[in-house]
Amino acid sequence: MVKHIVFWKLKEEGHGNNKETNALLIKEKLEALSGKIDGLLKIEVGIDFLGGANYDVALYSELATKESLDTYQNHPLHQAVLPFVKEAVADRKAVDFEI
């Protein structure tokens, strides 16, 4: 199993929205992928409620294999979400590990 974890710091504004609205939209768009991509076992998106220096949005996902991670990252449904996320994000950190 592979765990794929991503943290995003959002821009104050993107797509004509404030960062709170974009955080909600990112959560909605990514969680909508649940059950639609082979090998994607679990996907959760959390929005930070403390603010400050924290990152704004976190993605936690579990995938069956390393190949499933590649399938997920290149899947057309995931690729369709990326332009929205990239426009709203100021910084990104990610970790992928196998258990």
Side-chain angles (χ1 to χ4, degrees), residues 1-8 26-27 30-34 39-47 57-64 69 72 78 92-99:
M1 178 185 294
V2 170
K3 296 194 178 191
H4 173 64
I5 302 170
V6 182
F7 297 98
W8 293 286
I26 289 169
K27 177 179 175 63
L30 287 171
E31 288 183 345
L33 300 177
S34 182
L40 177 61
L41 306 175
K42 181 176 187 174
I43 188 165
E44 297 176 352
V45 178
I47 299 171
V57 180
L59 164 72
Y60 171 83
S61 56
E62 295 176 357
L63 298 109
L69 176 60
Y72 162 74
H78 180 255
R92 175 187 183 273
K93 303 290 184 206
V95 175
D96 299 293
F97 59 95
E98 197 168 27
I99 59 166

Side-chain angles (χ1 to χ4, degrees), residues 75-95:
H75 194 281
L77 291 174
H78 180 255
Q79 288 292 313
V81 175
L82 290 182
F84 184 88
V85 173
K86 288 180 179 179
E87 170 63 26
V89 167
D91 192 25
R92 175 187 183 273
K93 303 290 184 206
V95 175

Side-chain angles (χ1 to χ4, degrees), residues 55 68 78:
Y55 275 65
S68 299
H78 180 255

